[in-house]
């Protein structure tokens, strides 16, 4: 696993990202994270450790207080020490186009069928003709194991099925980087597997992925790299092998013990 | 009860013809106010939610003023006072349309605002990461869902609006209540004529309720 692809462009590059919520409570403190293309990175940590916030900053759902985030070499957020936001090189939105995100609560559009959920953005933001959008949406649904569910509404699907539609919806925009924010946490235990299978296949297909999860087995088997966050900082960063079998930091050890004793 | 009913008075051309003319006014004014009130209500809701702050405050003043004063008083004020204040002269029909549109708009504004706000941040975030602009998010994601939620409340306002057109009789708009009141003055048969008037209101209002119910069923989402 190399840190940089042949072209030398990182999939995601976060440099000294700081963010605090109102009343000055810091959520991210000097977080720097380089993610190489094709890498599958799993972010772990206790709730409130800042891992979801980090993901949301990369997706553009949160603004950062200082630091810089680039996606595939395009700067998406760049805030100097003075708090001034620079949107130079016109990359502010362009970089976000390469990022897909899947949420814990699926966030499907309940008034649209599975197919309409997937085709909406390609049709209206990329001007893809409806027929072409439908054709690729049908293929995408089949690829997540949901052939035949095209005309079902989210309310007619199980949680696992809804989450797979949400993954297909994100993939319809052909992102280069996929972000997964605790995507199995809201699912009944027996439905977790079907979503993880889809994610595993995506990883094997060479997708760059940043995954926030509590599924340690998934991290162990699929991740190229595991990052442990605590109190808004990256505490430990290594291969699954390194992190799970010989964590160097006390806090990582304590966290893993807590997770395993559950 | 010794009252001798005379229903024949209702079924004469002297009652029917003015009633038909009245219906044109009642329905015409209702439809115009329905359209204007909805445009106004939606604009006010958006103004309060998304526009520049001072504009939002202005909307707030308008909405609360028209929700807390009687429609009859608003109507009379607009008909008698507004021309003096502004110097613009308008007839009773125009005054009626202005008053009822503003009144319905105020109630619809609050309904639309509640509906738009009820669609949570999660839907907007999903739209954002899919690259939808704010306007696209409103149009494709927020509005269709909000409309489903507020449809029963909107139906109530529309029914009220249609019935409130009867207030226009006090400024001599020739709608059905005015026509029937005139007939009563000529025949001294208020019991029969006002009963008939009530039936006419029911007949034109009830289909709205039925239609809205049918629309609600049609828009109902499977599995929800």
């Amino acid at each position: 696993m190399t840190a940089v692809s042949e072209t030398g462009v990182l999939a995601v590059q976060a440099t000294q990202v700081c963010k605090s919520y109102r009343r000055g409570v810091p959520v991210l403190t000097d977080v720097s994270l380089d993610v190489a293309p094709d890498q599958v990175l799993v972010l772990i940590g206790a709730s409130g450790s800042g891992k979801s916030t980090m993901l949301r900053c990369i997706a553009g759902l949160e603004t950062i207080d200082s630091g810089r985030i680039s996606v595939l070499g395009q700067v998406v957020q760049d805030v100097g020490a003075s708090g001034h936001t620079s949107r130079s090189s016109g990359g502010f939105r362009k970089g976000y186009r390469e990022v897909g995100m899947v949420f814990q609560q699926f966030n499907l559009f309940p008034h649209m069928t599975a197919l309409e959920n997937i085709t909406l953005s390609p049709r209206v933001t990329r001007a893809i003709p409806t027929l072409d959008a439908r054709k690729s949406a049908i293929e995408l649904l089949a690829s997540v194991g949901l052939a035949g569910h095209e005309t079902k509404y989210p309310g007619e699907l199980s949680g696992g099925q809804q989450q797979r539609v949400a993954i297909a919806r994100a993939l319809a925009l052909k992102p280069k980087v996929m972000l997964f924010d605790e995507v199995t946490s809201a699912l009944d235990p027996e439905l977790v597997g079907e979503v993880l299978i889809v994610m595993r296949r995506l990883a094997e297909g060479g997708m760059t992925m940043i995954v926030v999860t509590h599924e340690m087995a998934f991290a162990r088997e699929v991740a190229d790299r595991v990052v442990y966050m605590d109190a808004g900082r990256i505490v430990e960063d290594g291969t699954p092998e390194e992190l799970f079998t010989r964590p160097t930091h006390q806090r990582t050890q304590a966290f893993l013990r807590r997770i395993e004793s559950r | 009860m010794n009252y001798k009913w005379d229903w024949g008075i209702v079924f004469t051309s002297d009652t029917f013809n003015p009633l038909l003319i009245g219906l044109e006014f009642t329905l015409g004014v209702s439809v115009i106010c329905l359209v204007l009130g909805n445009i106004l209500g939606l604009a006010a809701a958006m103004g309060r939610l998304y526009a520049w702050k001072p504009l939002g405050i202005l909307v707030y003043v308008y909405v609360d003023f028209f929700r807390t004063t009687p429609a009859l008083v608003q109507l009379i004020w607009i008909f008698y006072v507004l021309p003096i204040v502004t110097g613009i002269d308008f007839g009773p029909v125009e005054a009626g349309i202005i008053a009822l549109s503003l009144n319905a708009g105020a109630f619809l504004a609050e309904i639309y605002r509640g509906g738009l706000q009820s669609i949570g941040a999660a839907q907007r975030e999903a739209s954002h990461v899919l690259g939808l602009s704010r306007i696209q998010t409103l149009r494709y994601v927020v509005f269709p869902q909000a409309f489903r939620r507020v449809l029963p409340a909107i139906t109530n306002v529309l029914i009220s609006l249609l019935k409130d057109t009867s207030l226009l009789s006090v400024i001599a708009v020739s709608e059905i209540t005015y026509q029937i009141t005139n007939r009563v003055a000529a025949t001294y048969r208020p019991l029969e004529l006002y009963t008939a008037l009530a039936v006419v209101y029911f007949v034109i209002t009830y289909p709205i309720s039925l239609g809205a119910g049918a629309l609600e069923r049609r828009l109902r989402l499977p599995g929800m």
Side-chain angles (χ1 to χ4, degrees):
Chain A
M1 176 194 66
T2 52
V4 179
S5 73
E6 314 86 69
T7 52
V9 175
L10 289 162
V12 174
Q13 182 172 34
T15 316
Q16 294 195 300
V17 170
C18 293
K19 177 171 181 66
S20 36
Y21 284 129
R22 267 163 299 175
R23 283 190 241 118
V25 182
V27 246
L28 296 173
T29 312
D30 275 336
V31 177
S32 295
L33 190 66
D34 290 352
V35 186
D38 304 353
Q39 196 168 63
V40 176
L41 186 152
V42 168
L43 266 179
I44 59 171
S47 58
S49 60
K51 53 196 195 313
S52 282
T53 306
M54 190 58 207
L55 218 55
R56 292 168 59 82
C57 289
I58 297 168
L61 291 174
E62 308 273 356
T63 53
I64 59 179
D65 298 341
S66 66
R68 175 182 161 95
I69 299 175
S70 312
V71 176
L72 292 157
Q74 310 258 10
V75 177
V76 291
Q77 294 201 55
D78 186 358
V79 186
S82 60
H84 169 71
T85 305
S86 145
R87 296 179 179 184
S88 54
S89 74
F92 192 76
R93 278 204 73 84
K94 232 169 152 190
Y96 286 135
R97 284 175 69 116
E98 313 294 347
V99 178
M101 185 165 181
V102 186
F103 301 88
Q104 182 175 355
Q105 299 294 343
F106 333 133
N107 299 8
L108 289 177
F109 305 133
H111 60 300
M112 295 183 187
T113 62
L115 206 68
E116 288 164 351
N117 263 280
I118 299 169
T119 57
L120 175 68
S121 182
R123 282 192 300 112
V124 306
T125 71
R126 308 275 161 101
I128 291 169
T130 304
L131 274 180
D132 297 350
R134 286 177 69 92
K135 228 184 104 207
S136 29
I138 290 169
E139 285 166 18
L140 273 169
L141 274 176
S143 77
V144 297
L146 289 173
H149 291 76
E150 289 80 8
T151 57
K152 295 226 173 110
Y153 284 87
E156 299 174 290
L157 299 169
S158 73
Q161 291 172 324
Q162 288 187 58
Q163 196 58 295
R164 286 184 282 152
V165 173
I167 294 171
R169 180 174 72 170
L171 292 175
L173 294 168
K174 301 190 170 60
K176 302 285 192 326
V177 179
M178 281 285 281
L179 310 176
F180 294 86
D181 189 7
E182 301 202 29
V183 295
T184 57
S185 300
L187 298 177
D188 291 337
E190 76 271 20
L191 302 178
V192 169
E194 63 191 57
V195 173
L196 292 181
I197 287 170
V198 169
M199 290 168 65
R200 181 189 293 256
R201 209 178 304 137
L202 209 54
E204 286 163 359
M207 176 65 76
T208 309
M209 293 164 60
I210 306 180
V211 184
V212 169
T213 187
H214 294 291
E215 297 291 331
M216 292 303 146
F218 178 84
R220 226 182 269 266
E221 290 160 32
V222 183
D224 299 313
R225 182 177 162 199
V226 179
V227 168
Y228 171 68
M229 285 185 74
D230 185 72
R233 292 173 189 272
I234 291 178
V235 173
E236 195 150 355
D237 181 346
T239 63
E241 163 75 8
E242 287 165 354
L243 217 111
F244 289 120
T245 51
R246 0 171 244 285
T248 50
H249 285 263
Q250 223 173 356
R251 278 182 289 181
T252 318
Q253 291 163 5
F255 173 74
L256 291 172
R257 264 200 307 277
R258 279 203 306 278
I259 287 277
E260 263 143 37
S261 66
R262 274 203 312 213
Chain B
M1 213 170 66
N2 295 320
Y3 186 76
K4 260 197 78 161
W5 296 87
D6 178 12
W7 291 103
I9 202 80
V10 172
F11 301 98
T12 58
S13 57
D14 282 346
T15 306
F16 260 57
N17 290 340
L19 203 58
L20 282 178
I21 295 168
L23 266 178
E24 270 178 51
F25 278 95
T26 297
L27 295 176
V29 168
S30 294
V31 170
I32 293 169
C33 292
L34 184 159
V35 173
L36 292 179
N38 270 288
I39 293 170
L40 200 63
L42 201 55
M46 308 267 274
R48 232 181 120 171
L49 287 178
Y50 310 120
W52 186 50
K53 255 272 168 56
L55 195 70
I57 293 168
L58 209 69
V59 168
Y60 186 81
V61 171
Y62 151 62
V63 168
D64 270 10
F65 179 77
F66 275 88
R67 286 199 313 160
T68 53
T69 51
L72 181 61
V73 176
Q74 293 161 13
L75 176 69
I76 291 169
W77 195 88
I78 284 168
F79 183 56
Y80 291 107
V81 185
L82 201 58
I84 296 168
V85 175
T86 61
I88 305 165
D89 217 23
F90 36 75
V93 177
E94 288 84 354
I97 288 171
I98 293 169
L100 293 184
S101 298
L102 285 170
N103 185 272
F107 284 96
L108 290 168
E110 282 301 279
I111 292 168
Y112 280 124
R113 183 179 66 90
L116 291 171
Q117 277 181 322
S118 76
I119 308 303
Q123 291 284 305
R124 290 166 202 273
E125 287 182 352
S127 308
H128 183 87
V129 296
L130 289 170
L132 268 63
S133 69
R134 281 182 64 159
I135 290 171
Q136 287 169 335
T137 302
L138 266 180
R139 173 168 167 206
Y140 297 107
V141 178
V142 177
F143 197 75
Q145 294 183 61
F147 184 71
R148 282 180 169 83
R149 292 192 190 175
V150 301
L151 191 56
I154 290 177
T155 308
N156 281 341
V157 175
L158 298 188
I159 289 172
S160 289
L161 172 64
L162 203 145
K163 293 185 298 180
D164 282 351
T165 56
S166 64
L167 297 174
L168 305 195
S169 61
V170 302
I171 55 169
V173 174
S174 315
E175 47 69 61
I176 51 179
T177 301
Y178 180 79
Q179 302 286 9
I180 289 297
T181 305
N182 278 350
R183 264 308 268 165
V184 169
T187 61
Y188 305 107
R189 283 285 170 189
L191 275 65
E192 292 85 349
L193 286 166
Y194 281 124
T195 306
L197 180 61
V199 171
V200 171
Y201 274 113
F202 173 79
V203 167
I204 58 177
T205 311
Y206 193 56
I208 298 180
S209 170
L210 288 180
L215 187 60
E216 262 174 65
R217 279 189 296 281
R218 247 195 71 159
L219 292 177
R220 189 162 295 153
L221 298 169
M224 299 288 285

